[in-house]
Amino acid sequence: MRITFCGSGAGAAVNPRRGASSIHLAHGDARMLVDTGPGFMERMADSGLDPDLVGDVVFSHLHFDHAMGVVELFSRLIVRQGRPVTVYGPRDTDMYIEAALGFAQVNATNDFVRTWLEGVSVELTRPGDEREIGGVEVRSVEVPHAPYLECLARRFEAGGRSLVYTGDTTYAPEILVPLADGADVLVHEAYTESCLERMTEGMSESGRAGLLRGVRGTHSRAESAGQVARDAGVGTLVLTHIMPLEQDWELVEEARRAFDGTIVVASDGLSLEV
Ligand SMILES: [Zn+2]
């Protein structure tokens, strides 16, 4: 499996250096996108990847910074008469895709559009789901992120190699350590408290409290990601979902407190053979 980051940023703030979350996964002839944050197609182009070849889309959850770009993908594929795709996602993905297809449909009106629309399919991959997608075994578990929203972490396995992607989650070792057990690569979302300090400088007390509560209650510190990597015994830890005021070295330093294996901070265009 080869993964390429087409977006390594967090969605809460616009980040000129990073697109929102999206990972391109290639295995044999299969091409899938794991999350489609808005703007991911520009990042794909930067990496020399072709959106027309994508056969499957796998959502971790439906927050805009992980899913909204699917409208861009559909709009392109309809106009270019690309192949229909299958979308895998948590609860409500069917509603989301119906709406996305509605937006995309405005771009073209001909017989091909109808055929293409009919070819798009949605598979709900609820917690505990195990299936094969494009020759890759995919296991899904629910992680704690936001209220009323089902968020899934995934384990991808092919050819004896394994990749785990947490999506967005708070520190959840009881769920993520078993999922990431012995994985070759763990892609874990991460932030640092130093970044939060920089973000909240000059804010009102209530604004500061709200932002801290929001981030701390829904995301994972880099040190927590390191703890999961250590306890699961993974080979490489990749930190992603990076906020604009983060410093790469601080992310690594924090994760390093717990994990002594290879630590990489994701960047748009980063490509790794798993
Ligand atoms: Zn996010």
Side-chain angles (χ1 to χ4, degrees), residues 192-203:
T192 65
E193 285 291 324
S194 325
C195 174
L196 293 191
E197 271 172 37
R198 287 190 284 274
M199 284 173 73
T200 52
E201 254 173 34
M203 285 177 85

Side-chain angles (χ1 to χ4, degrees), residues 3-88:
I3 58 168
T4 305
F5 284 81
C6 301
S8 57
V14 175
N15 186 339
R17 290 189 299 126
R18 297 173 187 276
S21 293
S22 182
I23 300 171
H24 181 272
L25 190 158
H27 172 63
D29 293 334
R31 301 285 179 273
M32 74 177 85
L33 286 164
V34 182
D35 286 347
T36 54
F40 78 92
M41 279 201 295
E42 284 78 4
R43 265 66 185 192
M44 280 188 84
D46 287 343
S47 292
L49 299 168
D50 186 354
D52 296 352
L53 300 179
V54 171
D56 302 290
V57 172
V58 182
F59 289 138
S60 63
H61 64 299
L62 298 174
H63 274 158
F64 83 99
D65 58 318
H66 296 254
M68 193 67 92
V70 80
V71 177
E72 300 167 24
L73 180 69
F74 287 171
S75 302
R76 175 186 168 105
L77 294 180
I78 277 186
V79 171
R80 292 175 63 88
Q81 309 201 353
R83 55 193 281 194
V85 298
T86 303
V87 182
Y88 303 85

Side-chain angles (χ1 to χ4, degrees), residues 38-204:
F40 78 92
M41 279 201 295
E42 284 78 4
R43 265 66 185 192
M44 280 188 84
D46 287 343
S47 292
L49 299 168
D50 186 354
D52 296 352
L53 300 179
V54 171
D56 302 290
V57 172
V58 182
F59 289 138
S60 63
H61 64 299
L62 298 174
H63 274 158
F64 83 99
D65 58 318
H66 296 254
M68 193 67 92
V70 80
V71 177
E72 300 167 24
L73 180 69
F74 287 171
S75 302
R76 175 186 168 105
L77 294 180
I78 277 186
V79 171
R80 292 175 63 88
Q81 309 201 353
R83 55 193 281 194
V85 298
T86 303
V87 182
Y88 303 85
R91 188 181 63 222
D92 296 337
T93 297
D94 42 355
M95 281 173 11
Y96 197 95
I97 292 305
E98 198 180 321
L101 289 171
F103 283 114
Q105 214 173 142
V106 176
N107 290 275
T109 46
N110 54 40
D111 285 348
F112 175 77
V113 170
R114 261 192 306 281
T115 315
W116 191 87
L117 290 168
E118 283 163 11
V120 174
S121 55
V122 177
E123 301 271 344
L124 296 184
T125 50
R126 306 297 306 279
D129 187 86
E130 292 186 25
R131 69 177 66 213
E132 189 199 301
I133 303 174
V136 179
E137 295 296 329
V138 184
R139 180 146 56 96
S140 308
V141 301
E142 186 170 13
V143 287
H145 173 46
Y148 313 115
L149 191 72
E150 192 171 83
C151 302
L152 302 170
R154 317 271 195 185
R155 183 178 177 113
F156 302 86
E157 288 190 15
R161 304 288 290 173
S162 49
L163 161 77
V164 170
Y165 171 55
T166 61
D168 287 4
T169 180
T170 52
Y171 178 47
E174 69 286 1
I175 299 163
L176 289 170
V177 171
L179 184 74
D181 184 34
D184 296 293
V185 175
L186 167 64
V187 179
H188 201 304
E189 71 124 287
Y191 73 89
T192 65
E193 285 291 324
S194 325
C195 174
L196 293 191
E197 271 172 37
R198 287 190 284 274
M199 284 173 73
T200 52
E201 254 173 34
M203 285 177 85
S204 68

